[in-house]
Amino acid sequence: MTEAGHSFLARLGKTRLRPGGKQATHWLFDHVDINPDKDILEVACNQCTNAIELVKKTGCSMIAVDLDPNVVEIAKQRVRDAGLTKSIQVERGNALNLSYPAQSFDIIINEAMLTMLGDKQKQKALSEYYRVLKPGGILLTHDVHLVDGTSNEIIKNLQQAIHVPANPYDKLGWTELFETAGFNELDTLTGPMSLLSPIGMIRDEGIFRTLKITRNAFKKDNYRYFKKMYRFFRENKASLGFIAVVAYKK
């Protein structure tokens, strides 16, 4: 099976595909004033879980983009089902070449995507975010964090476990990346990865959805891949965590 790990987990029924789960996402949102007057963009929106939650809670409107056309259609359907088509505009979009004018947004949300890019692509994406943010704008990101001393061998094993050429950094590496892009004021949070931990899944998905995901994971066609991913993250929980970054554009 060569299916990307995040696509596989989504197919099992997982709605939150972030390394730090709700803990990190809510920490990010606590740093911004989200209201109907703000222009908001979410890049790599996946199934619009964040967008739907934010619009229901705050009454804001936002644009949500993803590169995967299949994911975009799923997101559009979820937005329709939630009755929020007037508030959430779902589009196909490329983080490396955003179609929006400079200084268009107050807030950009981008969770669990930068990790998946190569070094130059990371730099390009951040330069695009900086370009389309207004002065005083805020970028919220959430990615995989390499605990200090983690070997390159673990990165290779991560890539094999999730079938994606992921390239996470340690805290210093992430900080330098943002500063190079022009974000010279940062707030960061690091912690353990909750993506596939039983407690993390129950916190992020609830007990009934977690049971559904587990039931799907144990189906014959899924079990081998799920077991491989689960074992990798369990065995390397001391080396891989999450990092959430709030980056400010002056």
Side-chain angles (χ1 to χ4, degrees):
M1 180 180 287
T2 57
E3 184 178 8
H6 60 277
S7 298
F8 173 69
L9 292 177
R11 185 163 57 78
L12 295 184
K14 207 167 191 318
T15 62
R16 293 187 179 272
L17 303 170
R18 321 303 191 191
K22 281 185 176 181
Q23 176 192 0
T25 297
H26 290 172
W27 180 86
L28 289 170
F29 293 162
D30 285 344
H31 281 74
V32 290
D33 177 22
I34 297 176
N35 61 64
D37 296 327
K38 296 294 176 66
D39 294 307
I40 305 170
L41 172 68
E42 181 170 20
V43 181
C45 66
N46 201 267
Q47 298 180 22
C48 274
T49 298
N50 275 342
I52 292 170
E53 181 179 290
L54 287 174
V55 170
K56 285 183 175 180
K57 182 177 180 180
T58 69
C60 70
S61 297
M62 57 192 299
I63 298 173
V65 302
D66 203 287
L67 185 60
D68 186 332
N70 295 322
V71 168
V72 168
E73 292 307 311
I74 293 171
K76 286 181 177 180
Q77 185 60 55
R78 290 197 73 204
V79 169
R80 284 193 291 269
D81 291 344
L84 297 174
T85 54
K86 293 183 178 180
S87 300
I88 303 173
Q89 180 179 334
V90 183
E91 302 175 345
R92 190 180 181 200
N94 186 347
L96 307 184
N97 187 23
L98 294 172
S99 61
Y100 311 106
Q103 301 184 13
S104 293
F105 299 100
D106 299 289
I107 300 167
I108 296 177
I109 303 164
N110 184 212
E111 294 193 279
M113 189 205 80
L114 291 174
T115 297
M116 306 303 178
L117 303 179
D119 296 339
K120 291 184 178 180
Q121 290 179 314
K122 285 181 173 65
Q123 294 167 9
K124 176 61 176 171
L126 285 179
S127 70
E128 278 291 273
Y129 301 160
Y130 194 90
R131 179 183 68 82
V132 301
L133 273 174
K134 300 176 184 179
I138 300 175
L139 170 64
L140 308 176
T141 68
H142 177 176
D143 282 284
V144 176
H145 168 238
L146 293 178
V147 178
D148 293 343
T150 300
S151 69
N152 289 333
E153 188 67 25
I154 288 179
I155 298 177
K156 293 180 182 178
N157 292 338
L158 170 65
Q159 294 172 350
Q160 293 173 359
I162 64 175
H163 300 157
V164 174
N167 186 26
Y169 294 162
D170 60 16
K171 185 175 180 179
L172 178 60
W174 284 116
T175 300
E176 290 179 344
L177 178 73
F178 283 88
E179 290 176 344
T180 300
F183 296 99
N184 51 15
E185 183 182 350
L186 307 173
D187 290 324
T188 62
L189 175 72
T190 58
M193 187 175 293
S194 66
L195 185 65
L196 286 181
S197 73
I199 293 176
M201 288 181 66
I202 292 172
R203 180 177 64 236
D204 292 344
E205 305 288 351
I207 184 65
F208 295 110
R209 180 169 287 275
T210 297
L211 289 173
K212 175 184 176 182
I213 294 167
T214 303
R215 185 168 62 249
N216 289 336
F218 276 77
K219 290 181 179 179
K220 182 178 179 181
D221 292 342
N222 299 327
Y223 180 67
R224 185 174 180 181
Y225 190 7
F226 180 81
K227 181 180 178 182
K228 177 182 177 182
M229 289 181 63
Y230 180 83
R231 177 178 292 175
F232 171 80
F233 285 114
R234 183 187 64 191
E235 292 177 350
N236 293 282
K237 62 183 180 180
S239 300
L240 296 171
F242 76 83
I243 181 167
V245 179
V246 181
Y248 302 87
K249 176 179 178 178
K250 292 188 175 180

